[in-house]
Amino acid sequence: MTAASLLFSCSIHVGVSHPKVAAKSSACCLLKQPWSHLMSKAPFGHSGILEKSKLSRKDDGILCSVGAVQVETAAPSFSLGQKFHLDDVIEAQQFDRETLNAIFEVARSMESIGSNSSGSQMLKGYLMATLFYEPSTRTRLSFESAMRRLGGDVLTTENAREFSSAAKGETLEDTIRTVEGYSDIIVMRHFESGAARRAAATASIPVINAGDGPGQHPTQALLDVYTIEREIGKLDGIKVGLVGDLANGRTVRSLAYLLAKYQGVKIYFVSPDVVNMKDDIKEYLTSKGVEWEESSDLMEVASKCDVVYQTRIQKERFGEKIDLYEAARGKYIVNQDVLKVMQKHAVVMHPLPRLDEITVDVDSDPRAAYFRQAKNGLYIRMALLKVLLLGW
């Protein structure tokens, strides 16, 4: 038998790939590290005959066979089931607590890859398209970094609102139908709430919501909760102060949805009157038994909380109502005075970018977690790309 006719087979026992991806992909074996690396060293390279075996669950982990060689790797510590199947990432409330724990476990495994300059090749051959209709630095770059660190490639447009066919009047649905022909997964930021859901309903490949107007930012919320767990050491029983533009802040809306998954959480809303948290979030928290309170006293809230989550007043959401923006801006600022009343274990978080709502002298305090928070976004997005394209 020649090398070119060798039959490689692999049974992956920790989940299945995204059905949209599976339908699009040619018959190939979805190999986790180090098998993708081993496969790249096979004598016949990518020209070999590959056969995807049926995927089944085994408690003893992953069993792969390459010719006569069998190697078994450790199983994940979480149990698997239908609930762990992700089609798209659209909104924070689509996740339950067990799924969050599983995503965080994958993210922790990504930290070693993220800190390794050589990265991984587990997503080699996959293409991610980033469609950003609004400005972004951290989200777009962290997704692109995540894809490249896992061996994948990126197709990107930074300002699709002006420099894509949307400027010519093309519908979002037509854009998605076109772009999915070039890629395996789409990461989209849009200026309209609900746009990500429309994209996911249209696409035959996974769609990740990277922010849809004042709607939601689920991957930010995932990295926020991941950061809180790593910084505070727990999620049950914590007190969180959400500060700033709560009416327009998609990050705080998504975070509130996720915090509702945990027990004994209390949320404080601190904001200027013109940007108070909207009633739908308050009603959702009440329906889930989450205690919340509105306050105008940042100092008092900061003294009680494990997390002070500061946000900027979003000028771009005010339109021509500049007077309202100016009235809201600068009312609540995290500075040294706020740090003095905060508990020693507490942290300051911010989704960034910041303007003047956190003074720069706060940066040197060990409780300033916002740059560590941004770094955690890389690991969470690596985890999501891996899970959506390869399965658990």
Side-chain angles (χ1 to χ4, degrees):
M1 180 182 296
T2 65
S5 64
L6 283 174
L7 178 64
F8 270 48
S9 65
C10 173
S11 296
I12 298 180
H13 302 295
V14 291
V16 298
S17 64
H18 193 293
K20 295 180 178 179
V21 176
K24 178 178 177 178
S25 299
S26 59
C28 63
C29 183
L30 299 179
L31 293 169
K32 290 186 64 178
Q33 289 285 66
W35 295 109
S36 57
H37 177 69
L38 177 61
M39 182 174 159
S40 69
K41 293 183 178 297
F44 50 80
H46 291 294
S47 63
I49 301 172
L50 302 178
E51 176 182 272
K52 186 194 296 182
S53 64
K54 292 183 179 179
L55 300 175
S56 60
R57 172 74 173 109
K58 270 192 178 181
D59 292 335
D60 57 359
I62 304 170
L63 182 62
C64 293
S65 60
V66 184
V69 180
Q70 289 191 340
V71 176
E72 191 171 331
T73 66
S77 63
F78 52 84
S79 61
L80 295 168
Q82 187 61 33
K83 68 172 58 180
F84 288 106
H85 183 73
L86 291 181
D87 288 327
D88 308 280
V89 176
I90 303 302
E91 59 186 11
Q93 58 267 46
Q94 77 182 76
F95 301 102
D96 62 21
R97 180 167 175 160
E98 194 175 2
T99 309
L100 291 173
N101 291 340
I103 292 172
F104 296 162
E105 184 170 329
V106 178
R108 283 190 287 272
S109 74
M110 293 295 163
E111 292 193 22
S112 60
I113 297 175
S115 60
N116 185 343
S117 60
S118 61
S120 164
Q121 293 299 307
M122 69 171 65
L123 293 185
K124 185 176 182 180
Y126 286 92
L127 276 170
M128 178 185 73
T130 55
L131 280 174
F132 279 66
Y133 293 81
E134 284 189 328
S136 172
T137 301
R138 276 151 297 278
T139 303
R140 183 173 66 86
L141 292 182
S142 65
F143 265 114
E144 293 181 6
S145 176
M147 190 65 173
R148 293 187 185 280
R149 286 177 183 273
L150 294 177
D153 289 315
V154 176
L155 305 173
T156 186
T157 174
E158 185 174 359
N159 189 353
R161 192 172 188 175
E162 293 184 25
F163 301 110
S164 76
S165 292
K168 304 174 184 178
E170 182 176 57
T171 66
L172 175 63
E173 285 76 10
D174 281 2
T175 298
I176 295 299
R177 289 188 185 101
T178 301
V179 172
E180 72 175 354
Y182 309 146
S183 58
D184 301 294
I185 189 167
I186 295 172
V187 178
M188 188 182 78
R189 169 168 290 187
H190 204 276
F191 49 89
E192 292 181 355
S193 180
R197 184 176 296 279
R198 288 168 52 200
T202 302
S204 61
I205 61 175
V207 172
I208 298 178
N209 180 5
D212 57 344
Q216 285 211 40
H217 197 347
T219 67
Q220 178 71 47
L222 288 169
L223 75 90
D224 289 342
V225 175
Y226 183 69
T227 299
I228 293 171
E229 182 182 55
R230 293 184 77 70
E231 295 284 336
I232 304 300
K234 64 177 183 176
L235 290 164
D236 289 322
I238 63 171
K239 296 180 179 179
V240 180
L242 302 181
V243 186
D245 191 342
L246 306 186
N248 301 306
R250 56 196 173 202
T251 61
V252 289
R253 291 175 58 83
S254 293
L255 179 55
Y257 280 123
L258 286 194
L259 289 175
K261 310 296 182 185
Y262 298 91
Q263 300 297 315
V265 172
K266 181 169 183 178
I267 300 177
Y268 295 88
F269 299 129
V270 183
S271 64
D273 291 339
V274 295
V275 286
N276 284 340
M277 180 59 80
K278 293 180 180 178
D279 290 340
D280 64 327
I281 296 295
K282 298 174 185 176
E283 291 167 2
Y284 180 84
L285 294 175
T286 299
S287 72
K288 298 299 181 181
V290 179
E291 186 178 358
W292 59 269
E293 178 182 323
E294 291 186 303
S295 175
S296 59
D297 191 336
L298 175 58
M299 299 292 281
E300 180 183 5
V301 169
S303 68
K304 299 176 180 178
C305 285
D306 302 286
V307 178
V308 175
Y309 191 99
Q310 177 69 287
T311 65
R312 71 183 175 90
I313 306 298
Q314 299 185 43
K315 184 177 181 179
E316 65 271 23
R317 307 295 181 199
F318 283 80
E320 297 179 355
K321 300 177 181 179
I322 300 301
D323 56 328
L324 295 179
Y325 166 73
E326 293 296 340
R329 181 181 176 183
K331 186 168 184 180
Y332 296 109
I333 296 175
V334 174
N335 53 24
Q336 288 293 327
D337 291 334
V338 173
L339 288 179
K340 288 177 183 177
V341 302
M342 286 178 60
Q343 301 173 74
K344 294 297 184 183
H345 75 275
V347 293
V348 179
M349 295 175 59
H350 193 301
L352 302 175
R354 68 168 166 187
L355 300 179
D356 55 1
E357 63 275 2
I358 299 179
T359 58
V360 294
D361 59 353
V362 172
D363 297 355
S364 59
D365 193 289
R367 292 170 293 180
Y370 30 89
F371 293 116
R372 297 192 295 273
Q373 176 186 355
K375 185 63 177 290
N376 286 335
L378 173 65
Y379 309 133
I380 286 291
R381 286 158 180 149
M382 289 171 71
L384 291 175
L385 291 173
K386 186 269 178 187
V387 169
L388 284 167
L389 290 171
L390 298 184
W392 296 93

